[in-house]
Amino acid sequence: MVNCGLVTEKNEPVPLKSISVEVRVQDHVATVSSTLQYVNEEERPLEALFVFPLPADAAVCHFSAKIGEQEIVAEVQERETARDQYDDAVSSGQQAFLLEESEESPDVFRLSVGCLSPGQSAAVTIIYVTELAVQADHSLRFCLPAVLNPRYTPAGLAAGIVSEISSGCGSVPYTLTLSVHVSSPKPISKLESSCTLDPLVFLHSDHTQATVNLSPGHMFDKDVELFVYYQDTHQPSAIVEAGVTTAPSGSLMRHPVVMISLYPEFPEEMTQGEFIFVMDRSGSMGYTRIESAKDTLLLLLKSLPMGCYFNIYGFGSEFESFYPKSVEYNQDTVDEALKRVKEMRSDMGGTEIFEPLKHIYSQPCYPDHPRQLFIFTDGEVENTKEVLDLVKHHAHSHRCFSFGIGEGASTALITGMAREGSGHAQFITGTDRMQPKVMQSLRFALQPAVVNISVDWTLPDGITVDTLSPPINMLYQGQRSIIYAHLKGESSGGSEGTVTFKYSLKDQPVTNQLHFCLKPTEETGLAIHRLAARTLIRSLEQKERDGGSKLESIRCRIVELSVQAGVSSVHTAFIAINKDCRQTVKGPLLQRRVPTRGTAYGFLSGPRSAQPQAPERAKPKSLPGRLHLSLFNNDCRISRSRRKDRSLRRINEAPIYCRDPIVASHQANSQDKQRDLLLQLVSLQKASGCWELDATLADVFGKTEDELTNQKPAQVDGSVWATLLALIWLYGCKIEQQVEWQFVAMKAASWIGSQKVGDLSQCVCVGNVLLGCHVTKETLGF
């Protein structure tokens, strides 16, 4: 195994000594401060590169470095300006630090550390703010990534630095300390973790503030996950944050910002609908992707409710549909569709999506069956705006759920179709499994449509509000919406504001109202302002990707917001220069690596560049004879400067498996076999929701047909017994994949309920013994 990261000429690691993390959770957001201590134990100055992951929606808002007793704090500047300053500083012997977001992947950052003297140590502090994701059990999840998982690199191209750093082995060579402070308008119920924690300590009797620490001795070889549980989860909440009095008048940072958290609860019910699945069958889909798509279509078809309508389209340079128009869902139509799904190939040429969409929209909708469009594609199209305009024009008659497959999928197309079609977008990359993400979207599609969404503000005289978040076009059970708004002016008396949230569900108006105090919350640290700025920046970045005539003004606005709020963006970087430290740098800086067992917190140092002048920039003030090896170029060519080397390839996360090749192979085969058993069971289910008692079903359970038949209770028939066993097996053996089979199970439970079976409890007990499970009758949904 080749060690990765930074090692000395004697193959000894240049260690990251320690990581200290402080997390402050406020309602639905977190501020994370990480301090990393490392040292140069080489005999020559180093320029190190440090690559690390962050949540995709995080906003880096502070970066500083302390060398000895001296601390230098970075400033946010336009990216190219910051790079030039960094190059000039390092070339002249000054210590400099450059922190920037990957141009292709916003969840990956890179830190360049210039001219760290022999024997010198440095403590780098990075602070970021992020929204916390809501989980299925209503908790909020915070994750501190321990690894930057191996990322996909297309065949024929050299692996990038991210893949190299993440493929090491051995023990983690540094320590981790973690402390968490939680505060919220709602009482805190509990806090759980995937790691061992010290006891939770409440700071107030109302349980609105608490602290907890990671227990000592934690080996940082896996992600640290924290789950925060609040009481009254679905009640809306608000946090008002004061602005900075020294900021320019009228600017975002000058005035208060309010964050409204909305997490509405809808009735758990499935609706009838028309489901149209549009599958990219262009040549770029290839064997692996099209096979995964076929498995996904199997799950989708088996999960649809009786009485709905469906159709399947395939497109490439041309398109075809299984049926001239959507057909009613029954056993015959499902059997025919699944037969044609098995025959699907990625053999239809290019990626032209406009015509099949146009054809679908020309078909009349079925009354009382809302149209739900599922679009799968792995490519980009040249007429993105035309496609989005088409979806928007028909937004009144359907919801659009879009899925981008692989790294080449156009974010503008995928997110745009979901946005214009009031649906939901998903990206399936690398070794991500398609089925869980698609079934999550199906859960949304089966919910009643929420329409006529409005947010209205009532504020005292003298106070005006500017909503910073994009309009809410969609609401789904289990999804939370966060609204940021800018409050300006001075109140003439009132100290309370009101936000009224209205929508219609199944033709019934629903109103939620939240009263909140306009007095700012103490000690927020500008987290709300910075996330509000990040929201605006992300919207502008999306407009920039969509193209248009105002790209330069959009870019200038992004830079202005980023610099003003002190948060990261694709067009800015954090730059810190220790101008008091000048030293002569002698000799080339050779490439070094550090073994970190897949850790993201790895270093890479590289020699400097002094090659012939490139046309796009002036020649840097580098020393003669010093070369920079570009590890960020796809072909690893010797590069003249850093300018084109800074971006990281958009490469996907993949799970970390055992590094032993024999064990790893066994794990992979075992997992594939288990997945095949699940798909085999699903494929055997009838459209009504039941299973038949036969040898193929018994084979899934590892039994014979006689074993199943001999244990069948006398009071139930074969189909009821088979369906009950299938449910027990799903809940007892496949609970970790429940998101994939939840609707299959709901149909089965509903079917059993319609059969008026006598003593189900005794049947469940016998089934548990037969299959070696421990599932209760209540768990099965009866």
Side-chain angles (χ1 to χ4, degrees):
M1 179 64 65
V2 178
N3 287 338
C4 297
L6 186 65
V7 297
T8 67
E9 294 176 354
K10 298 180 181 180
N11 203 36
E12 296 171 350
V14 176
L16 170 64
K17 293 294 188 181
S18 65
I19 300 178
S20 176
V21 182
E22 296 181 3
V23 182
R24 183 177 180 85
V25 177
Q26 296 167 282
D27 200 18
H28 284 242
V29 305
T31 302
V32 185
S33 176
S34 298
T35 299
L36 305 104
Q37 184 82 36
Y38 58 96
V39 65
N40 175 18
E41 295 179 345
E42 295 242 17
E43 297 178 355
R44 67 184 69 185
L46 282 179
E47 180 187 16
L49 178 63
F50 176 54
V51 181
F52 58 101
L54 289 179
D57 294 326
V60 174
C61 56
H62 174 90
F63 168 55
S64 62
K66 188 174 183 180
I67 302 173
E69 296 301 318
Q70 185 174 18
E71 182 179 25
I72 52 176
V73 179
E75 298 177 350
V76 179
Q77 294 187 14
E78 191 273 334
R79 182 189 285 252
E80 298 304 319
T81 301
R83 290 174 175 175
D84 286 340
Q85 289 189 16
Y86 177 81
D87 285 346
D88 291 344
V90 175
S91 297
S92 61
Q94 293 175 324
Q95 286 174 333
F97 299 80
L98 181 71
L99 178 71
E100 54 188 326
E101 176 183 313
S102 163
E103 294 178 7
E104 296 299 327
S105 180
D107 61 347
V108 178
F109 280 73
R110 47 172 286 165
L111 167 63
S112 300
V113 181
C115 286
L116 191 62
S117 302
Q120 195 170 46
S121 62
V124 172
T125 298
I126 300 167
I127 301 178
Y128 66 89
V129 289
T130 186
E131 297 174 1
L132 301 180
V134 177
Q135 305 301 293
D137 62 355
H138 310 303
S139 65
L140 299 178
R141 176 180 179 265
F142 166 76
C143 179
L144 183 68
V147 295
L148 185 57
N149 289 330
R151 301 280 181 114
Y152 170 77
T153 302
L157 297 177
I161 185 173
V162 180
S163 298
E164 292 186 29
I165 286 181
S166 62
S167 59
C169 61
S171 61
V172 176
Y174 48 81
T175 61
L176 169 70
T177 59
L178 174 70
S179 63
V180 183
H181 181 279
V182 183
S183 63
S184 173
K186 307 168 188 173
I188 303 160
S189 298
K190 61 180 177 178
L191 195 148
E192 297 179 347
S193 176
S194 58
C195 306
T196 305
L197 300 176
D198 291 343
L200 185 69
V201 177
F202 289 102
L203 304 181
H204 297 294
S205 58
D206 60 3
H207 285 199
T208 56
Q209 292 194 43
T211 62
V212 70
N213 295 321
L214 187 66
S215 297
H218 174 74
M219 293 300 295
F220 196 21
D221 55 355
K222 62 180 179 180
D223 291 357
V224 177
E225 291 181 300
L226 299 172
F227 300 91
V228 181
Y229 294 81
Y230 294 131
Q231 296 179 26
D232 304 322
T233 306
H234 290 282
Q235 289 298 315
S237 61
I239 293 180
V240 178
E241 181 179 78
V244 181
T245 57
T246 56
S249 178
S251 68
L252 172 64
M253 303 303 291
R254 177 66 176 264
H255 305 283
V257 168
V258 58
M259 179 186 75
I260 306 294
S261 301
L262 300 171
Y263 186 33
E265 188 171 23
F266 305 139
E268 285 282 1
E269 59 179 281
M270 294 171 58
T271 64
Q272 298 296 336
E274 178 194 12
F275 298 88
I276 301 178
F277 307 110
V278 184
M279 184 61 63
D280 187 342
R281 289 178 54 187
S282 62
S284 59
M285 283 289 287
Y287 177 80
T288 301
R289 290 176 179 175
I290 203 69
E291 288 300 310
S292 179
K294 290 159 66 172
D295 290 344
T296 300
L297 285 173
L298 165 66
L299 276 174
L300 283 168
L301 287 173
K302 292 293 185 176
S303 299
L304 295 180
M306 293 290 285
C308 72
Y309 291 82
F310 77 98
N311 203 350
I312 298 175
Y313 282 71
F315 74 92
S317 301
E318 300 177 344
F319 71 91
E320 63 181 24
S321 60
F322 282 16
Y323 307 101
K325 64 178 183 177
S326 296
V327 295
E328 187 174 356
Y329 182 89
N330 57 45
Q331 191 62 51
D332 290 338
T333 56
V334 171
D335 286 344
E336 181 183 354
L338 288 175
K339 182 179 179 180
R340 296 191 64 175
V341 165
K342 290 181 180 179
E343 299 170 352
M344 286 174 54
R345 301 289 184 269
S346 54
D347 56 2
M348 296 185 69
T351 307
E352 299 179 22
I353 197 172
F354 184 84
E355 289 302 324
L357 288 179
K358 186 177 178 181
H359 180 268
I360 291 168
Y361 293 141
S362 70
Q363 301 288 318
C365 295
Y366 289 90
D368 301 320
H369 287 75
R371 177 171 288 169
Q372 317 286 345
L373 198 58
F374 283 64
I375 301 176
F376 303 81
T377 181
D378 74 336
E380 298 188 18
V381 297
E382 294 181 356
N383 56 343
T384 297
K385 289 187 177 181
E386 190 177 7
V387 171
L388 297 185
D389 287 342
L390 181 66
V391 175
K392 184 176 183 178
H393 182 71
H394 294 275
H396 64 282
S397 63
H398 82 299
R399 287 191 291 187
C400 183
F401 298 84
S402 53
F403 305 87
I405 304 172
E407 290 64 45
S410 167
T411 57
L413 178 69
I414 301 303
T415 59
M417 287 191 296
R419 180 180 66 249
E420 301 298 350
S422 298
H424 188 246
Q426 298 265 25
F427 287 88
I428 303 154
T429 51
T431 58
D432 286 350
R433 294 193 65 231
M434 187 182 297
Q435 291 88 339
K437 294 189 175 184
V438 173
M439 299 309 293
Q440 181 189 49
S441 291
L442 179 62
R443 179 166 64 89
F444 295 154
L446 287 168
Q447 295 174 16
V450 176
V451 296
N452 302 324
I453 303 169
S454 67
V455 178
D456 298 311
W457 302 82
T458 304
L459 298 168
D461 291 340
I463 301 292
T464 60
V465 62
D466 181 14
T467 303
L468 306 175
S469 302
I472 301 175
N473 296 321
M474 64 206 82
L475 280 174
Y476 300 108
Q477 171 75 4
Q479 275 200 321
R480 175 221 44 216
S481 296
I482 290 183
I483 300 173
Y484 298 99
H486 202 192
L487 303 177
K488 297 180 182 179
E490 296 291 337
S491 171
S492 59
S495 61
E496 186 178 82
T498 303
V499 59
T500 303
F501 182 60
K502 298 179 180 179
Y503 57 88
S504 297
L505 178 65
K506 299 184 71 174
D507 297 325
Q508 295 297 316
V510 179
T511 299
N512 285 323
Q513 200 168 63
L514 171 66
H515 302 279
F516 62 93
C517 179
L518 290 173
K519 182 181 178 182
T521 306
E522 297 180 359
E523 299 180 4
T524 52
L526 294 177
I528 309 302
H529 277 76
R530 285 165 174 156
L531 282 170
R534 184 63 158 178
T535 299
L536 280 174
I537 288 170
R538 284 288 185 245
S539 296
L540 290 167
E541 288 174 345
Q542 181 61 55
K543 288 183 180 179
E544 186 180 34
R545 286 192 294 270
D546 291 345
S549 59
K550 299 182 179 180
L551 294 181
E552 185 58 32
S553 63
I554 292 174
R555 185 181 185 279
C556 291
R557 178 58 176 155
I558 291 172
V559 172
E560 179 187 18
L561 275 170
S562 179
V563 172
Q564 183 187 104
V567 298
S568 55
S569 79
V570 73
H571 293 307
T572 54
F574 285 83
I575 175 73
I577 300 174
N578 183 4
K579 297 181 180 179
D580 295 333
C581 175
R582 288 183 179 274
Q583 57 190 346
T584 302
V585 181
K586 298 180 180 179
L589 299 178
L590 301 178
Q591 180 178 321
R592 299 289 185 260
R593 304 177 182 275
V594 63
T596 54
R597 190 175 177 175
T599 176
Y601 302 98
F603 291 92
L604 183 73
S605 70
R608 300 274 300 159
S609 170
Q611 296 182 31
Q613 180 177 344
E616 72 271 19
R617 60 170 293 174
K619 184 176 180 179
K621 301 172 184 177
S622 55
L623 298 178
R626 301 171 68 204
L627 298 176
H628 173 62
L629 176 61
S630 170
L631 295 177
F632 285 80
N633 285 348
N634 297 337
D635 53 4
C636 288
R637 294 173 294 179
I638 297 296
S639 171
R640 141 77 181 74
S641 73
R642 290 177 177 73
R643 184 172 301 259
K644 296 302 182 184
D645 303 342
R646 305 260 181 212
S647 65
L648 292 172
R649 171 171 297 281
R650 176 59 177 167
I651 34 188
N652 300 316
E653 294 187 5
I656 296 292
Y657 296 109
C658 174
R659 296 298 180 186
D660 184 290
I662 297 177
V663 177
S665 176
H666 175 74
Q667 288 176 337
N669 291 337
S670 175
Q671 290 167 352
D672 288 342
K673 182 178 179 181
Q674 290 300 314
R675 289 171 187 154
D676 289 344
L677 287 177
L678 174 60
L679 290 174
Q680 184 178 340
L681 178 77
V682 170
S683 70
L684 296 174
Q685 188 185 37
K686 300 298 182 182
S688 62
C690 71
W691 277 267
E692 292 182 351
L693 188 62
D694 56 24
T696 53
L697 179 66
D699 186 57
V700 173
F701 304 145
K703 306 290 183 181
T704 65
E705 184 177 358
D706 288 342
E707 287 178 292
L708 266 57
T709 303
N710 293 338
Q711 294 297 318
K712 182 180 74 67
Q715 72 270 28
V716 299
D717 67 23
S719 293
V720 171
W721 179 234
T723 305
L724 189 60
L725 289 177
L727 278 174
I728 292 172
W729 186 83
L730 286 172
Y731 281 98
C733 302
K734 293 284 131 193
I735 192 64
E736 73 280 0
Q737 292 175 252
Q738 185 175 5
V739 68
E740 299 181 37
W741 50 259
Q742 56 183 318
F743 297 114
V744 167
M746 288 172 61
K747 286 173 64 175
S750 178
W751 182 85
I752 290 179
S754 68
Q755 302 303 301
K756 298 181 173 57
V757 182
D759 188 5
L760 270 177
S761 298
Q762 178 61 29
C763 296
V764 172
C765 290
V766 177
N768 275 322
V769 173
L770 177 62
L771 299 180
C773 299
H774 305 279
V775 180
T776 65
K777 172 187 171 184
E778 291 73 23
T779 300
L780 300 179
F782 299 133

